[in-house]
Amino acid sequence: MEITRLCNRWSELEVQAVKQFDYFNLTDAQISALPMGPEMDAVDAECRRLGDVCEEALEPLGKLTPRTIEDATAMLAIAYRLLRLQEDTPWPFVNKAWTFLSRAHCPGCGAAYAPKSLPVSAQ
């Protein structure tokens, strides 16, 4: 959520820069020299840092392989919460969990627990 907040702030600053300057024809150095440049640089740096923190935190999850329905469900619950906050393709651990569920069948009726592919809205 902090990345989203920062991206919104970046957008506000960029709109100001477009209105006041020839923003899209400026170099990175010229943008940094604008009155809003230092804040834009700070927002960019913090977004990159937070992105790295997120990726590092998710790395161990990417190495997990579900062995039970509960494992797969827990992985998908984590992924769902994270994907709701951003528009991105599913991480490998989401695909692994979905693959597991699509191959697993109910012992009572034999139906698959999940379709063969992720729903379009999650892909």
Side-chain angles (χ1 to χ4, degrees):
M1 289 191 293
E2 179 65 7
I3 292 172
T4 299
R5 186 191 70 74
L6 289 168
C7 287
N8 288 338
R9 179 60 184 151
W10 171 273
S11 179
E12 292 168 3
L13 294 168
E14 189 174 54
V15 167
Q16 287 176 9
V18 168
K19 287 179 180 177
Q20 296 175 5
F21 306 96
D22 191 17
Y23 178 77
F24 293 112
N25 292 316
L26 299 177
T27 65
D28 288 343
Q30 290 170 322
I31 291 170
S32 292
L34 296 176
M36 64 284 296
E39 186 178 356
M40 291 174 83
D41 290 342
V43 167
D44 181 57
E46 183 64 1
C47 283
R48 288 176 193 273
R49 186 191 72 75
L50 290 172
D52 290 344
V53 167
C54 288
E55 288 299 319
E56 186 177 319
L58 289 171
E59 193 171 314
L61 290 174
K63 296 175 184 174
L64 297 175
T65 299
R67 292 186 175 86
T68 67
I69 295 296
E70 291 80 11
D71 292 349
T73 302
M75 292 169 79
L76 288 174
I78 292 166
Y80 173 77
R81 288 182 181 141
L82 294 171
L83 289 171
R84 277 186 63 200
L85 299 174
Q86 64 187 39
E87 293 181 20
D88 205 350
T89 57
W91 296 287
F93 77 89
V94 175
N95 290 324
K96 286 180 185 179
W98 200 267
T99 298
F100 176 88
L101 287 174
S102 69
R103 292 180 181 156
H105 297 276
C106 173
C109 69
Y113 285 115
K116 292 288 180 194
S117 62
L118 286 166
V120 175
S121 63
Q123 287 185 334

